[in-house]
Amino acid sequence: AQSVTQPDIHITVSEGASLELRCNYSYGATPYLFWYVQSPGQGLQLLLKYFSGDTLVQGIKGFEAEFKRSQSSFNLRKPSVHWSDAAEYFCAVGTNSGYALNFGKGTSLLVTP
Amino acid sequence: DGGITQSPKYLFRKEGQNVTLSCEQNLNHDAMYWYRQDPGQGLRLIYYSQIVNDFQKGDIAEGYSVSREKKESFPLTVTSAQKNPTAFYLCASRPGQGNNEQFFGPGTRLTVL
């Protein structure tokens, strides 16, 4: 069964600084990978997804992620963080034979002035 | 506007009472899901349904029940058998095979007093 690990529970960055959120997955074949963002008390919004092809994926709000098969990773990056990026970020993995997604436990991002 | 609606936003119930959370989608999606979210736990799958009149248990189905009588609706009942029902509940839907992306509703926060 596939699984997802987000090693960082909390991350604090200064506004304008770069950001990288880590995600590691466990799955034998090529997975479907997702990053979602959640503001407090809200549902989840899809930032970006990887199914196949180019391993560098561009998403909304200036985010990107890179799929690295050798490292079983799908880290999320943003070159310059805005205060509005403060939220909870979830990495998720799915497969082409299954219907459900497995979610990581999330990383809470705090942005300081 | 197409989307997923969950009602109510906040729900309070006394211990021992059953309660039903509503989830409706007008996206014409085949699959629907219920997740439970607790602080630091990420999203855990309760039930999912791939087609009308069919549903499967997720990882934490005990104490919950669902129905899928219409494609648009997937209500979740939290029964008195659920030991710790206070949580944030998220409903999601997915178009169908070949596309794993899930779309989320705004969530319902259930508090059992």
Side-chain angles (χ1 to χ4, degrees):
Chain A
Q2 66 272 28
S3 65
V4 179
T5 301
Q6 293 182 246
D8 304 304
I9 298 174
H10 300 285
I11 282 187
T12 301
V13 298
S14 300
E15 190 168 15
S18 64
L19 171 69
E20 183 169 29
L21 301 182
R22 296 184 291 166
C23 173
N24 294 99
Y25 68 91
S26 173
Y27 181 59
T30 299
Y32 293 169
L33 294 162
F34 305 83
W35 275 101
Y36 285 88
V37 62
Q38 183 184 34
S39 297
Q42 302 297 317
L44 275 67
Q45 180 183 22
L46 181 71
L47 286 175
L48 47 77
K49 58 190 177 186
Y50 172 79
F51 288 172
S52 65
D54 193 347
T55 57
L56 185 62
V57 180
Q58 301 298 319
I60 63 172
K61 304 184 181 187
F63 285 92
E64 67 177 25
E66 187 171 11
F67 171 59
K68 293 186 177 180
R69 184 189 303 275
S70 62
Q71 298 178 19
S72 297
S73 69
F74 189 57
N75 293 349
L76 182 71
R77 300 193 295 248
K78 186 170 185 178
S80 178
V81 170
H82 188 262
W83 63 267
S84 60
D85 293 323
E88 188 92 16
Y89 291 81
F90 292 95
C91 182
V93 62
T95 73
N96 60 2
S97 59
Y99 278 84
L101 296 180
N102 276 347
F103 286 83
K105 294 188 176 183
T107 297
S108 178
L109 174 65
L110 177 65
V111 180
T112 59
Chain B
D1 287 337
I4 302 174
T5 57
Q6 292 186 242
S7 60
K9 178 74 171 174
Y10 299 96
L11 190 54
F12 296 88
R13 279 295 182 269
K14 292 182 179 179
E15 193 172 340
Q17 290 181 332
N18 291 356
V19 60
T20 297
L21 282 60
S22 169
C23 178
E24 303 278 332
Q25 55 101 358
N26 60 5
L27 301 168
N28 199 33
H29 286 175
D30 292 320
M32 297 187 73
Y33 304 80
W34 274 106
Y35 293 92
R36 171 180 172 140
Q37 185 177 22
D38 298 280
Q41 295 295 316
L43 276 69
R44 293 183 289 170
L45 183 65
I46 304 173
Y47 269 98
Y48 66 102
S49 168
Q50 299 175 17
I51 56 172
V52 175
N53 293 322
D54 185 51
F55 48 83
Q56 289 79 40
K57 293 181 179 179
D59 300 320
I60 56 165
E62 185 175 353
Y64 299 97
S65 66
V66 293
S67 63
R68 186 86 186 275
E69 299 176 359
K70 299 186 299 181
K71 188 175 186 178
E72 307 79 40
S73 179
F74 191 41
L76 173 74
T77 296
V78 184
T79 76
S80 57
Q82 167 52 230
K83 295 288 188 277
N84 185 20
T86 294
F88 191 55
Y89 291 87
L90 287 161
C91 179
S93 69
R94 173 192 146 162
Q97 277 190 318
N99 184 345
N100 268 29
E101 178 182 345
Q102 292 185 14
F103 297 77
F104 283 82
T108 292
R109 181 163 300 280
L110 172 64
T111 302
V112 176
L113 306 172

